[in-house]
Amino acid sequence: FFSFQLNRKRPLSPPHRTKEHEFFFSHDTMVKYARESNDATKSCKARGTDLRVHFKNMRETAMNIKGRSLSDAQGFLNSVMKMERCVVFRRFCGGVGRTAQAKQEGSTNGQGRWPKKCAEILINLLKNAESNAEVKGLDIDNLYITHIQVNRAIPQRRRTYRAHGRINPYMSSPCHVELMLEEKEEPVARAEEPKKYTRRQQAKLRSGIKSN
């Protein structure tokens, strides 16, 4: 009995994961977005995970392009990289310097920065979403950013060396970004509602009396 237990091979933990299995499982898992479009045929999505860029800067940059058209957002981000326009900081604005460009963007506190790394990443995400829109056959000129969300990712740990032999954490603040582009629906003319009359007006109409 004891020899059987000692000589028996330990069974593999199911499932035995190899590179082929990992590839297979990654295709089975579905990516879930925080928001889904009402009409999936007229929308496209893109996302980036564990991006090595500061969460606060990315959040402010993303909020500056929310609601813009695709071409307008791309032009704004290119201008930010050239330092011709700035990103207005509204929530995470502690210690952010003031600039005249922030007033031109509609800021009330005048605080703004030029986060080039965030702008470059968002340009690549918009380009990815534009490619997805072309595959779906959407109108590129009529796409608007209806949803964009930035979430904190797991911070990556490093260390910095201080005086007297101490060691302090030196953490990074990566983030996840997801965005959605949708075709803007053309406004439909509202149908004219029939005019409502009071009882006295209805009685006059039945009797044929014209009101002054």
Side-chain angles (χ1 to χ4, degrees):
F1 176 80
F2 291 102
S3 61
F4 174 74
Q5 290 289 338
L6 293 174
N7 295 331
R8 187 177 64 177
K9 293 183 179 180
R10 186 177 180 182
L12 297 175
S13 57
H16 179 55
R17 301 193 64 173
T18 61
K19 290 184 178 180
E20 292 78 14
H21 285 84
E22 291 178 1
F23 180 79
F24 177 75
F25 286 132
S26 65
H27 275 260
D28 279 353
T29 55
M30 295 293 293
V31 177
K32 186 175 181 181
Y33 282 72
R35 176 188 163 188
E36 295 295 335
S37 174
N38 296 328
D39 190 358
T41 60
K42 293 185 178 181
S43 65
C44 58
K45 298 179 287 188
R47 66 179 294 148
T49 57
D50 293 316
L51 302 175
R52 284 298 301 269
V53 63
H54 287 280
F55 161 75
K56 294 183 179 181
N57 291 342
M58 179 61 82
R59 187 264 171 195
E60 297 294 344
T61 309
M63 291 302 106
N64 275 257
I65 65 172
K66 186 177 182 180
R68 296 177 184 258
S69 64
L70 177 60
S71 58
D72 186 18
Q74 290 174 338
F76 173 76
L77 294 173
N78 286 322
S79 298
V80 169
M81 293 185 67
K82 298 176 184 177
M83 300 188 71
E84 296 173 354
R85 300 174 68 178
C86 76
V87 172
V88 176
F89 277 60
R90 292 186 170 90
R91 176 177 293 181
F92 302 111
C93 52
V96 178
R98 292 178 290 181
T99 175
Q101 292 182 2
K103 289 289 186 180
Q104 298 173 2
E105 301 296 335
S107 171
T108 56
N109 54 15
Q111 294 176 295
R113 280 179 178 171
W114 301 266
K116 294 183 179 180
K117 194 173 181 180
C118 300
E120 185 178 1
I121 290 175
L122 287 176
I123 287 174
N124 293 333
L125 277 177
L126 291 175
K127 188 176 180 180
N128 190 358
E130 184 179 357
S131 300
N132 295 337
E134 291 176 354
V135 172
K136 282 191 168 184
L138 303 180
D139 185 9
I140 303 299
D141 298 330
N142 197 27
L143 290 176
Y144 287 79
I145 302 173
T146 56
H147 167 69
I148 184 166
Q149 180 173 309
V150 182
N151 295 329
R152 291 182 186 268
I154 298 176
Q156 298 182 5
R157 179 177 293 275
R158 288 183 292 170
R159 59 173 59 178
T160 181
Y161 299 93
R162 309 303 296 271
H164 310 294
R166 293 174 299 151
I167 295 177
N168 283 1
Y170 206 70
M171 311 288 283
S172 64
S173 301
C175 61
H176 310 304
V177 183
E178 64 180 48
L179 59 89
M180 182 186 301
L181 302 178
E182 290 182 308
E183 284 187 349
K184 192 172 184 180
E185 298 180 357
E186 297 181 358
V188 180
R190 187 175 181 180
E192 295 183 359
E193 297 180 358
K195 189 176 180 180
K196 295 182 180 180
Y197 296 96
T198 62
R199 290 183 179 179
R200 184 174 295 179
Q201 290 173 340
Q202 291 176 1
K204 287 182 179 181
L205 290 174
R206 284 195 297 267
S207 61
I209 302 174
K210 295 182 180 179
S211 59
N212 295 330

